Amino acid sequence: MSDQHQKQGFSTRAIHAGYEPDPQTGAVNVPIYASSTFAQDGVGGLRDGFEYARTGNPTRRALEANMAALEGGTYGRAFSSGMAATDALLRSQLRPGDHLVIPNDAYGGTFRLIDKVFTQWGIDYSVAAVNDVDAVRAAMTDKTKLVWVETPTNPLLNIGDIEAVASAAHDGGAKLVVDNTFASSYLQQPLSLGADIVLHSTTKYLGGHSDVVGGVLVTDSEQVDSDVAFLQNGAGAVPGPFDVYLTLRGIKTLAVRMDRHSDNAEQIVEYLGKHPKIEKVLYPGLDGHPGHAAAAKQMKRYGGMVSVLVKGGAQGARDLCAGTKVFTLAESLGGIESLIEHPAAMTHASTAGSLLEVPDNLVRLSVGIEDVDDLIADLDRALG
């Protein structure tokens, strides 16, 4: 991150970091460089370092610089999806015989990749509650190379104290990875709290409009960045320039969107907390949430994700999901529109029968930026 951007506020960085208006045309938006290759001034004479679009693209470079600035980091690397970023990070940092610690309620896709693929390569893992630092320490071994944390977690919205978990990881000789997707860069800055690597599915709040898939990694470590960059180029799971453009467009309004997401979520939490058909509301902004103190310490606000346990078991959860009209029944999250889903049968079906299995009466809400009165009325109708 440049000295100039270090002194700027978040929204200013979100809009300007990574790109200056084109000196030739004055274009204020990043151009979409739809070129697979770049002319060279003689053999090896690269123009601004560009040779082939898998290796580097000017539009992608703008996103990578922008994300590094937003996370207060030095290096950013963009990928074609959040899972592609996850895969590149794991392959760059782990070798056969290594061990990592993951949350006991991690995102189903992360768990599936580690459990079904990386274990075949001789990688071992343990699970631990992210809100229990002692449990994280106990799960580590002398072969642990990474501690993987989501905070808030997906879908139970548990909170890990990043500073405390970073200390535990570093004491054991491991690096701390924080999946910052649920919080977004606006609400939480893991690198400043001791994390070594930050991961985002840019599909979610960063893109913000449910129209693009992507992922990004940010770090201050030159070695980690070098390792990741090798796989970014060598394996080639890079985003196309139009996808990058859409992500950058979304980032420009991240701060105002996250405030609206949070505003709406807080009112919906208040409504659901009083509803007789709701067994429990899971939201880190609640005083009674076990991670509330940690969230208050490290988050600007508590975000737009809300999970609930519905009375009536799995059928009660399915009925709620089927009954909404404004909330769309769909996977994913973080868009301007509100979404509802049944994790046990949808995003977290891969965890069935494992230590990460989620309750069958759990419903996850991604609260959008619609008029909150309409969202509450929709839930009220669905709950009967």
Side-chain angles (χ1 to χ4, degrees):
M1 182 169 59
S2 69
D3 291 340
Q4 173 191 356
H5 291 135
Q6 283 180 336
K7 300 174 183 177
Q8 293 176 336
F10 184 90
S11 289
T12 304
R13 281 179 282 147
I15 293 168
H16 296 287
Y19 178 72
E20 297 290 339
D22 186 327
Q24 182 174 350
T25 66
V28 297
N29 268 324
V30 179
I32 301 171
Y33 287 92
S35 182
S36 62
T37 192
F38 300 87
Q40 300 185 22
D41 297 322
V43 176
L46 307 184
R47 300 183 188 182
D48 204 15
F50 296 108
E51 54 182 316
Y52 185 63
R54 171 170 45 78
T55 308
N57 173 282
T59 316
R60 189 173 91 218
R61 184 167 69 178
L63 172 61
E64 293 172 337
N66 181 273
M67 280 306 308
L70 292 190
E71 284 289 348
T74 308
Y75 308 99
R77 296 288 169 180
F79 292 85
S80 55
S81 69
M83 290 311 304
T86 299
D87 179 62
L89 177 58
L90 292 171
R91 282 192 290 146
S92 72
Q93 300 303 304
L94 300 175
R95 297 293 178 267
D98 287 346
H99 174 267
L100 76 157
V101 178
I102 63 173
N104 64 353
D105 61 334
Y107 167 55
T110 304
F111 169 73
R112 182 178 58 227
L113 180 66
I114 293 169
D115 184 65
K116 305 300 183 187
V117 178
F118 278 87
T119 54
Q120 296 183 41
W121 296 352
I123 304 299
D124 192 18
Y125 73 91
S126 299
V127 301
V130 298
N131 56 354
D132 186 341
V133 179
D134 290 336
V136 173
R137 289 185 186 274
M140 295 178 67
T141 74
D142 58 359
K143 295 182 179 180
T144 303
K145 296 296 187 292
L146 293 177
V147 173
W148 191 284
V149 169
E150 297 172 12
T151 182
T153 59
N154 180 7
L156 297 178
L157 299 175
N158 286 311
I159 300 295
D161 184 325
I162 296 172
E163 193 169 19
V165 178
S167 178
H170 297 158
D171 286 348
K175 296 182 179 71
L176 176 64
V177 181
V178 175
D179 184 336
N180 205 26
T181 299
F182 266 32
S184 85
S185 309
Y186 177 63
L187 299 182
Q188 187 168 264
Q189 301 278 303
L191 292 179
S192 68
L193 297 168
D196 299 284
I197 305 144
V198 176
L199 170 112
H200 286 272
S201 170
T202 57
T203 310
K204 312 305 193 297
Y205 284 111
L206 293 168
H209 293 76
S210 301
D211 58 5
V212 64
V213 174
V216 71
L217 297 170
V218 178
T219 184
D220 278 328
S221 167
E222 183 177 3
Q223 184 60 58
V224 169
D225 179 65
S226 178
D227 295 340
V228 167
F230 177 83
L231 279 175
Q232 182 193 45
N233 179 48
V238 296
F242 185 64
D243 290 345
V244 169
Y245 168 81
L246 288 174
T247 303
L248 279 165
R249 185 192 64 172
I251 287 172
K252 292 177 188 295
T253 60
L254 178 61
V256 292
R257 285 188 288 106
M258 291 310 298
D259 278 331
R260 180 62 173 264
H261 285 299
S262 299
D263 287 343
N264 283 358
E266 288 167 6
Q267 293 186 60
I268 285 172
V269 164
E270 183 178 3
Y271 160 76
L272 291 172
K274 299 174 182 176
H275 200 285
K277 290 189 177 180
I278 299 299
E279 179 181 310
K280 188 175 183 179
V281 178
L282 309 177
Y283 188 67
L286 290 170
D287 290 340
H289 188 285
H292 177 68
K297 179 177 68 171
Q298 67 194 22
M299 296 180 72
K300 184 174 183 178
R301 295 188 68 180
Y302 304 106
M305 299 303 300
V306 180
S307 289
V308 294
L309 298 174
V310 184
K311 292 180 181 178
Q315 191 58 52
R318 288 174 178 268
D319 289 346
L320 172 56
C321 290
T324 59
K325 302 299 182 184
V326 182
F327 279 85
T328 300
L329 178 61
E331 297 188 1
S332 199
L333 58 104
I336 55 174
E337 64 287 307
S338 294
L339 304 179
I340 189 169
E341 68 126 354
H342 185 216
M346 296 171 69
T347 54
H348 290 70
S350 64
T351 67
S354 77
L355 292 172
L356 281 74
E357 185 172 13
V358 299
D360 63 5
N361 66 330
L362 182 74
V363 169
R364 191 188 73 183
L365 306 175
S366 175
V367 179
I369 64 172
E370 301 96 337
D371 291 300
V372 71
D373 290 344
D374 294 330
L375 296 177
I376 291 174
D378 190 44
L379 292 171
D380 199 53
R381 285 191 299 269
L383 286 165

